Amino acid sequence: METQHFDRFDDPVVAADVAHHLHPFTDYAEMREQGTRIITHAEGHYIYDSNGNKILDAMAGLWCVNVGYGRQELIDAATEQLNKLPYYNTFFKTSNTPAAELSQRLIDIAPEGISHVFFANSGSEANDTIVRMIRHYWALEGKPQKQKIISREYGYHGSTMVSASMGGMSGMHDQACRLPDFEHIKPPYGFLYQGNMDEETFAEVSANWLEEKITELGADHVAAFIAEPIQGAGGVIIPPKGYFERIQDICRRHDILFVADEVITGYGRTGEWFASKTMNLKPDLMATAKGLTSGYQPMSAVLVGERVAEKLISDGGEFYHGFTYSGHPVAAAVALANLKVIEDDGLIEKVRNDTGPYLAEALQRLADHPMVGEVRSFGLLGAVELVEHKDGPKHFAQQGHAAVVVRDHAINMGMMIRAVRDGMILSPPLTYERADIDATIDILHKALDAAMDTLKLS
Ligand SMILES: *Cc1c(COP(=O)(O)O)cnc(C)c1O
């Protein structure tokens, strides 16, 4: 197809993009109609597009730019490392200084019991790696029939075949993407399922969904349960207090590994290095990515607990798994610089003691809005559930439409925010100040008002 065909887009970059670039998570027919937004540069908490718009990034990219844009420390670390050693692999007992130092650093900040690190390039690869490790582990334990992985509806674990099967996104499964041996339970999604239960009862009921599934499958066949401490892409679903305590107890009783997918919640977002610390979790394995490099380089790290690591080391022989770019020296150097910025700037304490609580307070300003059914937050993750009528049903008749209308108004008003089903999602950089939170809530408020008009709600 000729690029010229798209010259109705004034910008030749948009024309080329629309003509030849198949984007991730994009409706291609819609993109062909509307074109794409070209982000040209970014600084601090703002991104800029080729039409001259300045947009407040209340999503930190895709939940990842934890230290904000344009941090010189990360740029310098990358440049220096590119000059010194731009690439070498970590296969067959070779290594590089940043990868070795980063593994040490990650173990220093990881929850107790985590002893080793496996590097990959994305959250999806981290989760694929975890499934490979887990199955290998159980085979080494003499229980090769322990294969099944349980996860939750609305969970997001990535886009490869394995990670999408493990995720609980029905739209993805519908596109022929559900491998056998991946099982799902309902999430502890209070807005939908809590009803009149108090928090403690709901924690018990929702954790029991795991026990029921294990009973159905037989514990002898279940390898692991994997969960995001807070479900991100599923809509910032925050579990009731006590949920994970029960979940971990169930896993222990049935001898099932517990995996925390901390791709979003890791590296400061919940006011600790990891949500596992915030929520007192003791995972056997953890997937981390996104905030590890603040998105400046693609990199993920699987954090492996002693139980699995010791087995792989003592009995495993060669682990036939790895990526050309595992432990990439430039990515590792950027990760080290990024972790140093998070520490030196006190970003974790800032989220825990200041901006996290302030976001919770600021979101309350939206609670009385006629379109708002619930607001909730945890650290610097926030969600606003939209409803058609305050005392009506939880869903809009046409699910997914209203939130997109609010999102588009917000973008036109100069703020990037995300729509999930009938809800709005916030995940700003950890460098956000109170004034940025105020600006975010103000714009969201105006976008809600504008959406009331567009949707003809009164
Ligand atoms: C983004 C995400 C992933 C997938 O990471 P990619 O780098 O996009 O492959 C996995 N798990 C969670 C919780 C995520 O938010």
Side-chain angles (χ1 to χ4, degrees):
M1 175 160 318
E2 291 296 313
T3 305
Q4 280 74 8
H5 183 72
F6 293 98
D7 61 6
R8 64 195 168 83
F9 295 112
D10 296 335
D11 183 346
V13 179
V14 175
D17 199 48
V18 172
H20 303 298
H21 182 179
L22 294 176
H23 289 242
F25 286 98
T26 296
D27 179 324
Y28 296 131
E30 199 178 289
M31 181 176 113
R32 181 171 282 199
E33 275 309 303
Q34 299 170 4
T36 49
R37 181 189 300 277
I38 310 295
I39 306 301
T40 51
H41 58 291
E43 185 59 39
H45 306 139
Y46 288 89
I47 52 175
Y48 297 81
D49 70 20
S50 58
N51 290 324
N53 293 306
K54 176 183 178 183
I55 303 168
L56 178 61
D57 187 8
M59 280 307 299
L62 280 176
W63 328 75
C64 57
V65 188
N66 285 10
V67 299
Y69 297 94
R71 287 300 296 236
Q72 199 57 44
E73 299 92 325
L74 278 65
I75 298 163
D76 289 345
T79 310
E80 263 172 50
Q81 189 56 45
L82 280 164
N83 280 313
K84 217 182 285 172
L85 176 72
Y87 172 74
Y88 198 73
N89 67 73
T90 54
F91 284 30
F92 320 128
K93 292 180 287 182
T94 55
S95 196
N96 62 70
T97 307
E101 287 178 357
L102 181 58
S103 10
Q104 177 67 61
R105 179 81 183 111
L106 290 176
I107 297 314
D108 290 345
I109 60 174
E112 216 188 299
I114 299 288
S115 61
H116 288 77
V117 184
F118 190 102
F119 291 114
N121 311 292
S122 68
S124 304
E125 288 176 358
N127 282 319
D128 270 50
T129 298
I130 284 173
V131 171
R132 295 216 38 198
M133 272 185 186
I134 284 173
R135 291 185 169 177
H136 186 38
Y137 167 81
W138 283 119
L140 292 171
E141 286 283 338
K143 295 178 178 171
Q145 74 284 5
K146 263 171 115 63
Q147 288 274 308
K148 292 183 192 293
I149 313 270
I150 303 175
S151 53
R152 300 177 301 176
E153 290 163 15
Y154 299 141
Y156 187 76
H157 299 297
S159 259
T160 54
M161 282 299 288
V162 159
S163 57
S165 300
M166 194 148 75
M169 300 297 189
S170 56
M172 295 175 84
H173 293 164
D174 290 346
Q175 292 178 345
C177 184
R178 191 166 180 182
L179 296 170
D181 291 328
F182 292 93
E183 302 282 340
H184 302 85
I185 59 170
K186 280 199 288 188
Y189 189 3
F191 182 68
L192 285 191
Y193 303 134
Q194 187 166 347
N196 298 323
M197 285 179 250
D198 62 28
E199 193 169 4
E200 199 186 333
T201 311
F202 182 53
E204 189 178 330
V205 166
S206 50
N208 280 343
W209 293 330
L210 176 61
E211 183 120 44
E212 287 159 20
K213 184 54 98 178
I214 294 170
T215 308
E216 178 197 319
L217 300 170
D220 290 352
H221 295 281
V222 181
F225 173 68
I226 177 166
E228 301 156 80
I230 312 278
Q231 285 173 265
V236 182
I237 299 170
I238 303 166
K241 273 196 194 66
Y243 173 78
F244 275 115
E245 210 177 306
R246 288 173 178 281
I247 287 283
Q248 292 181 102
D249 178 56
I250 292 167
C251 288
R252 268 191 297 272
R253 277 193 283 109
H254 295 284
D255 199 19
I256 286 164
L257 297 173
F258 172 61
V259 183
D261 182 342
E262 292 232 30
V263 169
I264 286 176
T265 52
Y267 308 109
R269 188 153 291 285
T270 71
E272 293 282 356
W273 278 112
F274 298 97
S276 289
K277 181 85 187 300
T278 318
M279 296 172 146
N280 196 25
L281 312 182
K282 297 254 175 319
D284 293 295
L285 297 120
M286 298 162 68
T288 76
K290 297 193 167 112
L292 169 59
T293 58
S294 283
Y296 283 49
Q297 287 284 292
M299 183 178 230
S300 60
V302 175
L303 306 185
V304 187
E306 282 155 9
R307 178 178 177 180
V308 173
E310 289 312 317
K311 194 74 196 167
L312 297 186
I313 292 164
S314 58
D315 299 340
E318 179 170 347
F319 187 39
Y320 298 112
H321 177 75
F323 303 101
T324 301
Y325 304 124
S326 285
H328 195 287
V330 179
V334 169
L336 282 164
N338 175 61
L339 298 179
K340 188 163 183 332
V341 167
I342 292 175
E343 180 161 52
D344 291 352
D345 286 11
L347 296 181
I348 291 175
E349 294 74 19
K350 182 186 177 98
V351 171
R352 181 168 64 233
N353 302 325
D354 184 27
T355 47
Y358 190 71
L359 174 64
E361 205 180 296
L363 276 166
Q364 286 304 326
R365 289 177 222 155
L366 301 173
D368 289 335
H369 193 281
M371 254 184 102
V372 172
E374 180 180 289
V375 297
R376 56 175 181 268
S377 71
F378 195 99
L380 278 195
L381 286 167
V384 177
E385 298 275 1
L386 307 180
V387 289
E388 206 154 354
H389 302 289
K390 268 241 182 275
D391 41 35
K394 306 253 162 181
H395 288 299
F396 282 76
Q398 187 192 353
Q399 214 199 32
H401 176 60
V404 169
V405 170
V406 175
R407 180 200 64 193
D408 290 346
H409 278 302
I411 295 174
N412 287 333
M413 293 170 178
M415 180 173 77
M416 193 55 81
I417 186 173
R418 187 152 156 188
V420 176
R421 292 187 305 280
D422 293 330
M424 311 311 300
I425 301 305
L426 294 169
S427 172
L430 309 188
T431 45
Y432 242 41
E433 303 288 348
R434 285 178 176 226
D436 300 305
I437 293 174
D438 287 337
T440 298
I441 299 299
D442 277 356
I443 296 175
L444 185 48
H445 202 293
K446 290 188 187 110
L448 287 167
D449 288 343
M452 294 276 293
D453 280 344
T454 311
L455 296 164
K456 302 199 168 34
L457 303 173
S458 51

